[in-house]
Amino acid sequence: MSALKIGDRIPNFTLPSATGETVNIEDFIGKKSLVIYFYPKDDTPGCTAESCAFRDSYEVFTDAGAEVIGISGDSPESHQKFAQKYNLPFILLSDQGNKVRKLFGVPSTLFILPGRVTYVIDKEGIVKHIFDSMLDFKAHVDEAIKTIKSM
C-alpha cells in the first residue's frame, strides 16, 4: 500500500494498548480529532523526548478536542513501563509486526529503523497534516498543535 496523503481517510485498525485493552480506531471517528504519532522505540533518547513533549502539551490537544495516540512496534508491557516511567497520559498502541505502520506507509530510515511520522486527523478520519522528521522531535508536537488549532 502507498503512503497516506493529506485528504486520505485513515485505514481502520485495532491494536492492543499499554493497559492491555484493545483499541479500535473507528471508536474515535466522529467524536474526536486525532494526533497519531509513529515512533521507533520506547525509552530511547529521541522517542522519550518526543513523547514527553506530547505529554507536556497534552492539555492543549484535549482542550481542542483531540486525542493523542503513540504507536511503535514495542510490546504492550514495554509501553506500560514507558508510560509509567514518564507519566504519559495518552494512549500507546503496540504495533508488533508493524502492520499499521505499513498501512499508513510510514517509511523506514536507512531501511532498518522505523520512521518517525505524525499524522493529524480530523473527526471524520481524514488526514489534515503529516510531519516526517527523525531528528526534530519537538517539531512533531509544534506542527500538530498548529494544525489542531487551525481545524
Side-chain angles (χ1 to χ4, degrees), residues 78-142:
S78 174
H79 280 340
Q80 189 173 34
K81 289 178 191 164
F82 185 50
Q84 286 175 341
K85 183 174 181 180
Y86 295 102
N87 197 26
L88 304 178
F90 45 83
I91 299 166
L92 292 179
L93 298 178
S94 176
D95 185 23
Q96 293 179 297
N98 293 315
K99 291 180 188 82
V100 174
R101 182 179 288 276
K102 289 174 187 152
L103 277 178
F104 275 69
V106 176
S108 294
T109 302
L110 305 173
F111 302 105
I112 52 165
L113 191 62
R116 182 185 314 279
V117 180
T118 298
Y119 297 84
V120 180
I121 298 132
D122 71 11
K123 284 182 182 177
E124 285 71 48
I126 305 300
V127 177
K128 294 297 182 183
H129 187 70
I130 301 168
F131 185 73
D132 182 350
S133 173
M134 278 304 281
L135 300 176
D136 197 350
F137 319 117
K138 178 96 171 64
H140 284 266
V141 177
D142 296 340

Side-chain angles (χ1 to χ4, degrees), residues 61-87:
F61 292 109
T62 57
D63 287 351
E67 185 57 61
V68 175
I69 299 174
I71 301 176
S72 80
D74 296 296
S75 70
E77 297 78 22
S78 174
H79 280 340
Q80 189 173 34
K81 289 178 191 164
F82 185 50
Q84 286 175 341
K85 183 174 181 180
Y86 295 102
N87 197 26

Side-chain angles (χ1 to χ4, degrees), residues 25-78:
I25 204 66
E26 285 294 318
D27 292 343
F28 294 96
I29 305 302
K31 297 177 187 137
K32 291 185 173 193
S33 300
L34 296 169
V35 176
I36 298 177
Y37 75 100
F38 288 87
Y39 65 99
K41 187 147 184 54
D42 288 344
D43 219 5
T44 56
C47 298
T48 299
E50 180 183 27
S51 295
C52 288
F54 273 112
R55 175 200 65 204
D56 295 345
S57 296
Y58 185 63
E59 197 172 301
V60 175
F61 292 109
T62 57
D63 287 351
E67 185 57 61
V68 175
I69 299 174
I71 301 176
S72 80
D74 296 296
S75 70
E77 297 78 22
S78 174

Side-chain angles (χ1 to χ4, degrees), residues 9-28:
R9 189 175 200 290
I10 62 167
N12 184 21
F13 65 88
T14 302
L15 289 172
S17 73
T19 60
E21 59 194 303
T22 301
V23 174
N24 183 326
I25 204 66
E26 285 294 318
D27 292 343
F28 294 96

